[in-house]
């Protein structure tokens, strides 16, 4: 009765009509979302030289796509819920076997991070098998001067009419099949996502100063990457898991794209990335692509958002900008603060994902409205514990969604990093 009384009082104070819904139960407990996430992969997953490093021997960044995804999913800061074992230089054999790193140390099998209760796995692997990528980025630049406008690297690796590098790809696909099977054996309930490689070369093959290959080798190298991505997509489909295309969405973000680039060109940048590898912008983009594949279309992303109050520097729009490091915070340190999203048109919604800052709401309601003045409560709780909440309720149609903090969990106001609204 205490929650219902508070709801009525807030409605009268705001001068709006609140219609209670039979779908709402004050004892509802928000779900935790992902329980245990494991990231497997090579340097395109590890993010070598992207500040800052979490592992020197694997040259793994704290700002690679698994880390950013883990923040978005609310598991990064949770004990024993996120395991990133990606390692620069790894190939498919590094999944079930030991791997010798670039600095000569040995790391154990990446599969060791998998558990029976692991429920999410991302896999980015294949480019290092039989030194495919290594040949392209180390050997091709050395051959450029022999025929700058020709295809000296392609010619060097074409034997009796057979492209020996392209021949690696079908063998890699079979090994990725085995890797996926190994994941399923160790984590039978996990959702597995195979993450492809982002575009390195410009779509039209036009050279630029950041490319260190002969002109004719650019399109050839791009073709090899497309073949590899197609093989990864086929392996995912054949084994009933999900493929995340990063090549298509990275059109216009290749190594020649300047400030819009997601990947570094053929030169080392000690403060951003090693040659031919993702930049921080690329990692952020891939994290969002994986997140979208997991959750669907976020109906709240970039929409108009308002709040009961706002602390300076923590605008309401920060809760819907898809950046897990920005947030909205209420100005008033009192119960009853709210955040409201205008979806633009009436949408069918079924789920919210909420990333709370330390200042969370212990008791809160999810309300929806068609006109922004008459509200109905579709879900409520008195059991909120902060961090990440997955809130599910019966499908309903509305234009506006509002989170009302009935009872604060701390002495501060309330603050949200992310508010995501989904129809599935």
């Amino acid at each position: 009765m205490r929650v219902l009384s508070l709801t009525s009082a807030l409605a009268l104070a705001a001068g709006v009509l609140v219609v209670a819904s039979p779908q709402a139960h004050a004892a509802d407990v928000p779900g935790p979302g992902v329980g245990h996430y494991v990231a497997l992969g090579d340097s395109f997953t590890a993010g070598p030289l992207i500040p800052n490093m979490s592992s020197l021997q694997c040259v793994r960044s704290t700002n690679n796509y698994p880390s950013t995804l883990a923040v978005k999913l609310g598991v990064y800061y949770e004990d024993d819920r996120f395991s990133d074992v990606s390692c620069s230089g790894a190939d498919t054999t590094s999944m079930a076997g030991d791997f010798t790193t670039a600095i000569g140390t040995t790391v154990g099998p990446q599969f060791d991070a998998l558990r029976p209760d692991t429920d999410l796995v991302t896999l980015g692997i294949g480019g290092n098998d039989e030194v495919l990528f290594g040949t392209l980025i180390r050997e091709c630049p050395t051959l450029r001067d022999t025929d700058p406008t020709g295809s000296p690297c392609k010619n060097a690796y074409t034997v009796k009419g057979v492209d020996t590098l392209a021949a690696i790809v079908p063998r890699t696909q079979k090994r990725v099949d085995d890797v996926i099977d190994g994941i399923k054996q160790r984590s039978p309930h996990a959702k597995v996502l195979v993450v492809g490689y982002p575009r390195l070369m410009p779509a039209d093959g036009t050279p630029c100063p950041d490319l260190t290959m002969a002109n004719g080798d650019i399109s050839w190298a791009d073709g090899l990457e497309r073949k590899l991505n197609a093989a990864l997509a086929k392996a995912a489909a054949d084994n009933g898991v999900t493929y995340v295309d990063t090549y298509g969405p990275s059109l216009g973000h290749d190594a020649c794209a300047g400030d819009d680039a997601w990947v570094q060109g053929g030169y080392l940048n000690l403060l951003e990335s090693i040659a031919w590898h993702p930049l921080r912008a690329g990692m952020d983009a891939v994290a969002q692509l994986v997140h979208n594949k997991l959750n669907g279309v976020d109906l709240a992303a970039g929409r108009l958002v308002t709040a009961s109050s706002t602390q300076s520097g923590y605008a309401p729009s920060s809760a819907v900008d898809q950046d897990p490091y920005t947030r909205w915070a209420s100005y008033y340190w009192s119960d009853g603060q709210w955040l409201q999203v205008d979806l633009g048109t009436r949408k069918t919604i079924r789920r919210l994902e909420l990333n709370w800052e330390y200042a969370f709401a212990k008791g809160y309601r999810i309300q929806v409205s068609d006109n922004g003045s008459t509200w109905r409560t579709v879900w409520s709780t008195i059991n909120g514990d902060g961090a990440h909440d997955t809130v599910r309720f019966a499908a309903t149609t509305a234009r506006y969604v509002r989170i009302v903090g009935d009872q604060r969990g701390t002495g501060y106001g309330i603050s949200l990093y992310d508010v995501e609204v989904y129809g599935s």
Side-chain angles (χ1 to χ4, degrees), residues 146-167:
T146 65
D147 187 4
T149 61
S151 307
C153 200
K154 177 183 178 181
N155 296 340
Y157 288 94
T158 300
V159 179
K160 296 181 179 180
V162 176
D163 186 332
T164 58
L165 294 190

Side-chain angles (χ1 to χ4, degrees), residues 348-362:
T348 298
I349 60 174
R350 295 178 174 86
R351 173 171 55 96
L352 267 67
E353 301 286 342
L354 306 176
N355 269 331
W356 295 96
E357 196 252 351
Y358 172 76
F360 70 97
K362 178 177 176 61

